[in-house]
Amino acid sequence: QVQLVESGGGLVQPGGSLRLSCTVSGTIFGITMAWYRQAPGKQRELVARITTDRSTNYLDSVKGRFTISRDNVKGAVSLQMDSLKPDDTAVYYCINYPTTWSWGQGTPVTVSS
């Protein structure tokens, strides 16, 4: 079973940056990967996804601020988050898209002054 480990979250002030990382125990060759987030009291939402040829899609509210990337050899996916806002506060998860794997623990991001 594929295991996902997210890291890089933390507490950051509005306007700050964080880089989230995700390592996958199996291969990600040929697999579209995605980052989701779930804010307190809200449903999980798709933030960004990246195909095998590195085509990307983003949630409207993060366009121009977040950048998803992948390293197929290392089996890793990253999410660079800039100009963070309090509304970005959530637990962030990476997973394949469409989702067929089990969710990891996620990494919490808190944007607050």
Side-chain angles (χ1 to χ4, degrees), residues 37-109:
R37 69 185 181 188
Q38 186 166 21
K42 296 186 178 180
Q43 290 190 332
R44 195 170 291 173
E45 63 181 352
L46 176 63
V47 175
R49 64 184 185 207
I50 183 168
T51 65
T52 53
D53 63 357
R54 293 179 168 76
S55 175
T56 58
N57 293 93
Y58 296 93
L59 182 68
D60 283 347
S61 62
V62 308
K63 284 181 180 177
R65 301 188 298 119
F66 289 12
T67 304
I68 189 172
S69 60
R70 64 190 291 156
D71 186 327
N72 290 334
V73 174
K74 294 182 179 179
V77 185
S78 297
L79 185 68
Q80 177 66 39
M81 305 189 298
D82 299 317
S83 302
L84 283 161
K85 303 176 180 180
D87 284 349
D88 296 319
T89 295
V91 179
Y92 285 72
Y93 304 85
C94 76
I95 201 159
N96 64 328
Y97 181 91
T99 302
T100 57
W101 297 343
S102 296
W103 295 91
Q105 294 298 307
T107 185
V109 172

